[in-house]
Amino acid sequence: MRVTRSHHNPRIQPADVIPSSPAMQVIGVFNPGVACHNDETVFLVRVAERPICKEGECLVPVFDAVSREIRIRRFLLADSKIDVSDARVVKTPEGNYLTSISHLRVARLQPDGSFRVDQQPALMPQTEYEAYGIEDPRITLIGDVYYVTYSAISDRGIVAALATTRDFREFERAGIIFHPDNKDVALFPSLSGGKYYALHRPSSSLYGRPEIWIAESEDLLCWGNHKHVMGVRPGSWDSGRIGASAVPFLTDYGWLEIYHGADEHNRYCLGAVLLDTEEPWKVLARSPSPILTPEMPYETDGFFGKVVFSCGALVIGTDVQIFYGASDTSIASVEIPLSGILEQLGVTIREVV
Amino acid sequence: MRVTRSHHNPRIQPADVIPSSPAMQVIGVFNPGVACHNDETVFLVRVAERPICKEGECLVPVFDAVSREIRIRRFLLADSKIDVSDARVVKTPEGNYLTSISHLRVARLQPDGSFRVDQQPALMPQTEYEAYGIEDPRITLIGDVYYVTYSAISDRGIVAALATTRDFREFERAGIIFHPDNKDVALFPSLSGGKYYALHRPSSSLYGRPEIWIAESEDLLCWGNHKHVMGVRPGSWDSGRIGASAVPFLTDYGWLEIYHGADEHNRYCLGAVLLDTEEPWKVLARSPSPILTPEMPYETDGFFGKVVFSCGALVIGTDVQIFYGASDTSIASVEIPLSGILEQLGVTIREVV
């Protein structure tokens, strides 16, 4: 399978992004959702920021919904009760925090292949459910409205929230669509059998694993009839956890979903799954091996290394152009022929959409 | 506050229930949902069964949705990799199991205060999501349909499912309404501000605690706009976990919800919370101390001791009659004056509904 990374990679890096305030530093710009708007390719990128720390301390940013400010909590790394073994999380006796706080920002692809990143955030943490940040947007165009699903993190848990926009300038929040814990929500762009569908990724504390489920809706706000779609594969590249990545798109053979999977060592790869057109909870075929693995330096090293993680893809001619976060640090893209993905899925090609 | 336990307590015990098959023994009948149907008081009771074990072994019942049989897994208690420190759960390297499997059965209150328990189950595990059993029904009458919410447990996680009945003879499953992990779902019996509401209890793995949330719906099948309602109280009787218990009922002062709370030692008590009539996510008042604590021998000793846990209550005249599971073993009831509960909540009584 031909896998062609962009020669512009990494296409956006932290240094390309202006912090949302002078007290913060941008440590990651990654996991972009993508859409076509008018004649532009528009992105919502996740920008992760943290306060500038002195040696030996860890400053944790938490949005306070009452004062509408980001408050800083300070922990000393020498404190034996503090666990920072995962670069993303600070575990403390009083609860867990994130070491950075993320917001969403608009970026636009320029004719020369570069990106113009807005100087101001598009969506900042705003509610009590977003106290630890908002992350990993997926954008689905339905009618003339762009539906943005994103993860909201707080001491209430991890929830999936919805916002809408028509122009990528004004956004409207539409509330929490999936309760704790849930993330990796991708809305299908059209009805199947008269219903809207969403892939989602609940977590279970005592039984079950982080796997891909589906729910149905008539209004995109209220969701039900949850079904398990597919699970992790012990011994495989996606043995630890899986979730939807890009918004699914329709092919002649069914819905194609680019999903992510991680193994027990938190190495994140991308794979593909083909879902039935009318009954999208039915898996028709699934990648035996990844379609993209972390190999390049920007994919193996960074804030959280060995990660390729997508929130969006576009079909450009006969290629699938996948945008992805690399090592929770930067944004990259890769082109893979749709026929190659379908062949890997065992589909006998009639005609590629 | 006057708290009058029934002199019939415990009102139903395991010996009163015929096993669903000769290979099984009933170890618990508890956590009943309650409703009035025609002129009868009808219950759905949770019946927990397990295979008859020999000494030194633990036989775990798992429903297999393909063969439609309950399969038995055998673990040796001498195996150091097996953890049975919680009587309800077997933790093994391959995953966690329940030591018993529950189904739901109809019981009817008789004129002499005794109960007639159906000889056959009303709802048995039937789907892959019910492999470890179905538990803790709450019954809400809306129009002429009784909506039954219950927990379904499997290696997919703990989900909240919905079934409906009009006569307590035929039941129809309506799918999973809340994804993993979720339990303790209580549907409000009427619209508030044009929406249906449900209290629910998600769990969060890394952030958050098991606490009470609310969701809204227009059709009782698809749910959204999730909001956090209330949390645990450190140092209090409900410091560890809380969840809705009985179906909320309307008073002149708001929705009255009998909820359960447990402390860090898994001692389960009942309390009350008053929710705003039109905006039921708003807490008006909450029990400073429990309205019922495990005190009687049948409440302190049993399969899982120190537990009073309700799934249903009736307003009888000026009293609230609360039915509850005692020690995950038997069913009991208690009468508490509504005025007493409201006074404990700090409500200045105008007139009791």
Side-chain angles (χ1 to χ4, degrees):
Chain A
M1 188 163 51
R2 179 167 58 79
V3 172
T4 311
R5 286 173 172 80
S6 168
H7 64 273
H8 294 292
N9 281 355
R11 302 187 70 159
I12 316 183
Q13 294 182 276
D16 303 326
V17 181
I18 296 171
S20 65
S21 93
M24 302 292 267
Q25 62 179 159
V26 174
I27 61 164
V29 51
F30 53 115
N31 299 0
V34 62
C36 297
H37 174 244
N38 296 338
D39 293 327
E40 269 188 324
T41 303
V42 185
F43 301 83
L44 274 172
V45 303
R46 171 178 169 191
V47 176
E49 298 179 301
R50 71 177 172 202
I52 297 161
C53 297
K54 295 193 187 116
E55 201 165 319
E57 70 177 9
C58 178
L59 300 182
V60 169
V62 177
F63 172 74
D64 181 84
V66 178
S67 67
R68 314 196 69 72
E69 291 171 336
I70 290 176
R71 299 271 177 91
I72 307 298
R73 296 184 69 94
R74 182 166 178 263
F75 297 102
L76 294 176
L77 298 179
D79 184 344
S80 62
K81 296 191 294 296
I82 304 299
D83 176 1
V84 290
S85 56
D86 181 329
R88 303 169 297 184
V89 181
V90 184
K91 295 185 178 174
T92 83
E94 59 175 284
N96 299 328
Y97 297 94
L98 288 175
T99 52
S100 63
I101 188 164
S102 291
H103 65 265
L104 307 184
R105 210 177 288 201
V106 170
R108 294 164 202 273
L109 183 61
Q110 303 299 294
D112 64 357
S114 68
F115 284 75
R116 185 162 50 80
V117 183
D118 277 6
Q119 299 198 3
Q120 296 297 323
L123 284 165
M124 279 288 277
Q126 186 174 301
T127 74
E128 64 174 296
Y129 307 104
E130 302 177 349
Y132 299 175
I134 58 178
E135 306 179 351
D136 302 349
R138 277 84 171 176
I139 308 167
T140 302
L141 176 63
I142 300 175
D144 58 353
V145 175
Y146 295 90
Y147 290 82
V148 181
T149 57
Y150 61 93
S151 302
I153 327 286
S154 74
D155 60 355
R156 304 286 186 221
I158 303 167
V159 299
L162 181 66
T164 58
T165 185
R166 290 170 185 270
D167 56 11
F168 289 92
R169 297 184 196 283
E170 292 190 12
F171 292 83
E172 198 166 333
R173 276 173 166 77
I176 295 172
I177 54 174
F178 295 107
H179 64 70
D181 277 344
N182 209 309
K183 49 171 38 180
D184 301 328
V185 171
L187 306 182
F188 287 69
S190 59
L191 298 163
S192 282
K195 306 262 191 193
Y196 292 107
Y197 287 92
L199 299 172
H200 63 94
R201 212 291 294 284
S203 302
S204 179
S205 46
L206 194 53
Y207 314 98
R209 288 158 181 274
E211 296 179 334
I212 298 177
W213 288 59
I214 197 168
E216 65 181 49
S217 177
E218 295 193 348
D219 63 4
L220 299 160
L221 298 172
C222 290
W223 295 88
N225 201 13
H226 299 271
K227 292 187 175 84
H228 182 266
V229 174
M230 65 187 215
V232 298
R233 293 183 290 198
S236 180
W237 60 276
D238 52 3
S239 58
R241 51 183 57 226
I242 56 172
S245 262
V247 169
F249 57 90
L250 199 57
T251 73
D252 281 354
Y253 309 93
W255 291 102
L256 190 69
E257 167 61 23
I258 310 294
Y259 75 98
H260 62 267
D263 62 16
E264 286 82 356
H265 306 292
N266 277 327
R267 176 178 177 261
Y268 280 76
C269 300
L270 296 178
V273 58
L274 197 63
L275 303 171
D276 186 85
T277 303
E278 287 298 307
E279 299 178 314
W281 57 90
K282 293 186 176 168
V283 173
L284 304 180
R286 179 174 172 185
S287 291
S289 54
I291 62 171
L292 188 72
T293 56
E295 289 166 22
M296 305 300 284
Y298 52 88
E299 296 164 345
T300 57
D301 298 307
F303 179 71
F304 196 75
K306 293 186 191 149
V307 170
V308 293
F309 187 101
S310 177
C311 291
L314 296 174
V315 180
I316 308 284
T318 58
D319 283 342
V320 183
Q321 187 175 29
I322 302 172
F323 296 90
Y324 60 97
S327 295
D328 281 12
T329 302
S330 60
I331 289 173
S333 72
V334 65
E335 288 191 358
I336 306 176
L338 176 55
S339 59
I341 297 174
L342 291 170
E343 273 166 26
Q344 194 223 37
L345 291 170
V347 174
T348 307
I349 305 289
R350 296 194 301 265
E351 177 195 347
V352 170
V353 172
Chain B
M1 187 164 51
R2 179 165 59 78
V3 172
T4 312
R5 285 172 173 80
S6 168
H7 62 273
H8 295 291
N9 281 357
R11 302 188 71 159
I12 316 182
Q13 293 180 275
D16 303 327
V17 181
I18 296 170
S20 65
S21 95
M24 301 291 267
Q25 62 179 159
V26 174
I27 61 163
V29 50
F30 53 115
N31 299 0
V34 62
C36 298
H37 175 243
N38 296 339
D39 293 327
E40 268 188 327
T41 304
V42 186
F43 301 83
L44 276 172
V45 303
R46 171 178 168 189
V47 176
E49 299 179 300
R50 70 176 172 202
I52 297 161
C53 296
K54 295 191 186 118
E55 201 164 319
E57 71 176 10
C58 178
L59 300 181
V60 169
V62 177
F63 172 75
D64 182 84
V66 178
S67 66
R68 313 197 68 73
E69 291 171 336
I70 289 175
R71 301 270 177 90
I72 308 296
R73 296 184 69 94
R74 182 166 178 263
F75 297 100
L76 295 176
L77 298 179
D79 185 341
S80 62
K81 294 191 294 295
I82 304 300
D83 176 2
V84 290
S85 56
D86 181 329
R88 304 169 296 185
V89 182
V90 183
K91 294 184 178 175
T92 84
E94 59 173 283
N96 299 328
Y97 297 96
L98 288 174
T99 53
S100 63
I101 188 165
S102 291
H103 66 265
L104 307 185
R105 210 177 287 203
V106 170
R108 293 165 203 274
L109 183 61
Q110 302 299 294
D112 65 357
S114 69
F115 284 75
R116 183 161 53 77
V117 182
D118 277 6
Q119 297 196 4
Q120 298 296 323
L123 284 165
M124 279 288 276
Q126 187 173 303
T127 73
E128 63 174 298
Y129 306 104
E130 302 177 349
Y132 299 175
I134 58 178
E135 307 180 349
D136 303 349
R138 277 85 171 175
I139 309 168
T140 302
L141 177 63
I142 300 174
D144 58 352
V145 175
Y146 295 90
Y147 290 82
V148 181
T149 57
Y150 61 93
S151 302
I153 327 285
S154 76
D155 61 355
R156 304 285 186 221
I158 303 166
V159 299
L162 181 67
T164 59
T165 184
R166 290 170 185 270
D167 55 11
F168 289 91
R169 297 184 195 285
E170 292 189 15
F171 292 82
E172 197 166 332
R173 274 174 168 76
I176 295 172
I177 54 174
F178 296 107
H179 63 71
D181 278 344
N182 208 308
K183 49 170 41 179
D184 302 327
V185 172
L187 305 182
F188 287 69
S190 58
L191 298 163
S192 283
K195 306 264 190 192
Y196 292 108
Y197 286 92
L199 299 173
H200 64 93
R201 212 290 295 281
S203 301
S204 178
S205 47
L206 194 55
Y207 313 98
R209 291 159 179 272
E211 297 180 332
I212 298 177
W213 287 59
I214 198 168
E216 65 180 49
S217 177
E218 295 193 348
D219 62 4
L220 299 159
L221 298 172
C222 290
W223 295 86
N225 201 14
H226 299 272
K227 292 186 174 85
H228 182 266
V229 175
M230 63 188 216
V232 299
R233 292 183 290 197
S236 180
W237 59 277
D238 52 2
S239 58
R241 51 182 59 226
I242 56 173
S245 262
V247 170
F249 57 91
L250 199 56
T251 72
D252 281 354
Y253 309 93
W255 291 103
L256 191 69
E257 168 61 22
I258 310 293
Y259 76 97
H260 62 267
D263 62 17
E264 285 82 359
H265 307 292
N266 276 327
R267 176 177 176 261
Y268 280 77
C269 300
L270 296 178
V273 58
L274 197 63
L275 303 171
D276 186 83
T277 303
E278 287 298 307
E279 299 178 315
W281 57 91
K282 292 186 178 169
V283 174
L284 304 180
R286 178 173 173 186
S287 290
S289 54
I291 61 170
L292 189 72
T293 56
E295 289 167 22
M296 304 299 285
Y298 53 89
E299 296 164 346
T300 57
D301 298 307
F303 178 70
F304 196 76
K306 294 189 189 145
V307 171
V308 292
F309 187 101
S310 177
C311 289
L314 296 174
V315 180
I316 309 284
T318 57
D319 282 343
V320 183
Q321 187 173 31
I322 302 172
F323 296 90
Y324 60 97
S327 295
D328 281 12
T329 301
S330 60
I331 289 173
S333 71
V334 65
E335 288 189 359
I336 305 176
L338 176 54
S339 59
I341 297 174
L342 291 171
E343 274 167 24
Q344 195 224 34
L345 291 170
V347 174
T348 306
I349 305 291
R350 296 193 302 263
E351 178 195 346
V352 171
V353 173

